[in-house]
Amino acid sequence: MSPYLIICPGIHEPQLTQDFLASLELSSPWTEKVLIFPAQDYPAYSAIHILEFLQRHIGLVKTPIVLISFSAGVVGAIAAAWGWQLLGGNIQALIAIDGWGVPLYGNFPIHRISHDYFTHWSSALLGAGEDSFYASPPIGHLDLWRSPGQCQGWWVQVPRGEQPSQRTYITAAEFMIQLLAR
């Protein structure tokens, strides 16, 4: 069963989220199972509203999900992920984009994407997660969400086994597509 892709935007104009999705250029099966939490109608940081949204639109808790969250949406997404698991759900991954200051821990893969190195470094103090990405050169906070395909930076791969960490220069969109391909 292919997972649903749940988009948890921050506090901004809904058009930026449409631009984000267009920039990702998702291919099937993702294009058929994308749900966007309506942050224009509910608080982006509200895990309870995100959980209600998931239950209303997916229903079956056993359905696997991947969450991509941005800014204030990271707060709601991480707590909703924990809640979804407590209900028996399957979280395949959480991708947190510019969730600065949000502790990110869980027993599912967590990946951070940051608009600059300082945000990347300082956010890792609250849970580095697995592979991560930071923009280099730095990019504006909203520009990262609006245009991840135009955001160049470093994919930092977590060491596996005896191998040291590695860095690869790609776009934020390419990084996310690589994560979704896993």
Side-chain angles (χ1 to χ4, degrees):
M1 177 184 309
S2 59
Y4 274 87
L5 182 58
I6 311 303
I7 308 298
C8 298
I11 301 168
H12 51 73
E13 292 298 318
Q15 183 59 47
L16 294 182
T17 301
Q18 295 303 319
D19 295 344
F20 168 79
L21 287 170
S23 183
L24 281 185
E25 298 178 10
L26 293 172
S27 61
S28 189
W30 294 108
T31 52
E32 300 152 14
K33 291 190 167 185
V34 175
L35 294 175
I36 302 170
F37 175 70
Q40 70 277 8
D41 299 330
Y42 304 98
Y45 49 81
S46 174
I48 291 176
H49 286 99
I50 294 171
L51 276 173
E52 288 174 351
F53 174 79
L54 292 174
Q55 290 175 323
R56 195 167 51 250
H57 288 88
I58 297 175
L60 295 175
V61 178
K62 300 284 184 223
T63 303
I65 64 172
V66 172
L67 294 116
I68 297 180
S69 55
F70 174 67
S71 195
V74 174
V75 176
I78 188 66
W82 295 333
W84 192 249
Q85 273 196 326
L86 287 172
L87 293 171
N90 176 355
I91 306 295
Q92 290 199 332
L94 179 128
I95 301 170
I97 302 174
D98 260 1
W100 189 78
V102 180
L104 294 179
Y105 296 97
N107 60 352
F108 45 85
I110 297 173
H111 306 278
R112 285 190 183 267
I113 297 176
S114 302
H115 75 278
D116 64 10
Y117 179 75
F118 175 78
T119 303
H120 168 78
W121 170 83
S122 58
S123 293
L125 298 173
L126 297 172
E130 297 187 14
D131 289 8
S132 60
F133 174 93
Y134 65 91
S136 180
I139 190 169
H141 176 68
L142 289 175
D143 293 331
L144 174 57
W145 184 246
R146 177 187 303 115
S147 306
Q150 296 176 10
C151 174
Q152 297 285 325
W154 292 104
W155 169 2
V156 181
Q157 297 171 329
V158 172
R160 289 171 176 79
E162 302 280 323
Q163 297 180 358
S165 65
Q166 297 178 348
R167 292 185 336 155
T168 305
Y169 198 72
I170 63 173
T171 69
E174 290 168 330
F175 173 69
M176 285 183 267
I177 295 300
Q178 289 291 325
L179 294 177
L180 293 174
R182 291 185 189 172

